[in-house]
Amino acid sequence: HVDLRRVNRALLVRRGVLDRHIEDVGGCTVSEPDRYESYRRDGPRSGRMRGIIALACLLLALLPGCSSTALDASTTIDGAQVAIEQGGALRAEADLRALLEQSPDDPLARAVLARALHHQGRYREASVQSRLALGIDPGLWQAAYNLACHHAALGETDHAIHWLQAALSTDAVTREQVGADPDLRSLLGDHRVAFYLAGGVL
């Protein structure tokens, strides 16, 4: 049940290929005989297909006048966090995606992008970004805390508490922060979280 198109796109982006330079033609080789050859469908009598990967980003980099200005990571991330707090999650998303085109392995940028997506109600997409951030930096508490918030918003209490425990293990999050966070409000009725807020153990 792996979405191979999405996985391949993520791998290309992670290696530095700009998302806008990746084209997904869609379709299915088995169910579209007029469009595609398919060994799975027709066996040895099938024809053969040819694929082309265009290295547009390399060609653009070689052309004079096509270089882009490098973004400063800390300035962009700080600005995005302020924008999210002020209700500008869409603007923050655009800035962070531009930064990630330049630095796809920046875990904090991915974690803040997840917050921007979360504030837009795009919880599943936010979860993907938080998990990518943890894949790059397993100790990034912000990404674990994000996942607690995403799963809480989706009503997945056990998953939310699992990720909250991971964030709390770093000592970067306080009981007061957990109790006051509106993104975690749905967890406050759970006995495990109530016990944590009263005694500091989750």
Side-chain angles (χ1 to χ4, degrees):
H1 299 283
V2 174
D3 185 336
L4 292 176
R5 290 187 179 97
R6 187 173 288 179
V7 168
N8 284 323
R9 177 179 293 271
L11 289 171
L12 288 168
V13 168
R14 193 172 202 176
R15 297 301 299 167
V17 178
L18 300 179
D19 190 66
R20 66 176 178 267
H21 292 157
I22 304 169
E23 182 180 357
D24 178 357
V25 297
C28 172
T29 58
V30 173
S31 62
E32 298 182 48
D34 295 336
R35 188 172 180 196
Y36 298 111
E37 301 288 348
S38 174
Y39 192 91
R40 289 183 296 154
R41 183 187 63 232
D42 302 326
R45 61 187 178 84
S46 69
R48 293 294 177 265
M49 295 185 298
R50 302 289 181 265
I52 297 173
I53 298 175
L55 300 177
C57 57
L58 176 61
L59 295 174
L60 287 174
L62 296 174
L63 295 173
C66 288
S67 62
S68 59
T69 305
L71 297 171
D72 178 71
S74 62
T75 302
T76 303
I77 292 169
D78 290 347
Q81 289 176 320
V82 170
I84 292 167
E85 291 169 12
Q86 296 175 348
L90 275 172
R91 181 166 48 89
E93 178 189 356
D95 292 345
L96 290 162
R97 289 196 185 279
L99 174 61
L100 286 166
E101 284 184 359
Q102 171 186 304
S103 305
D105 289 336
D106 187 319
L108 185 56
R110 289 204 178 275
V112 177
L113 173 58
R115 290 302 299 167
L117 295 169
H118 182 93
H119 279 266
Q120 297 173 54
R122 294 156 62 186
Y123 306 123
R124 292 287 182 210
E125 192 177 349
S127 293
V128 170
Q129 291 300 329
S130 291
R131 288 178 187 274
L132 286 171
L134 280 175
I136 299 165
D137 181 357
L140 188 65
W141 70 267
Q142 294 94 328
Y145 190 83
N146 282 349
L147 282 162
C149 294
H150 309 327
H151 286 294
L154 291 165
E156 299 168 352
T157 303
D158 288 341
H159 290 299
I161 289 175
H162 165 80
W163 288 111
L164 185 57
Q165 285 175 317
L168 292 172
S169 71
T170 66
D171 294 326
V173 183
T174 66
R175 279 190 282 177
E176 293 74 22
Q177 183 179 352
V178 171
D181 192 331
D183 288 321
L184 299 176
R185 189 172 294 129
S186 66
L187 301 180
L188 298 183
D190 186 277
H191 69 280
R192 294 165 290 183
V193 175
F195 186 76
Y196 163 71
L197 293 175
V201 178
L202 181 58

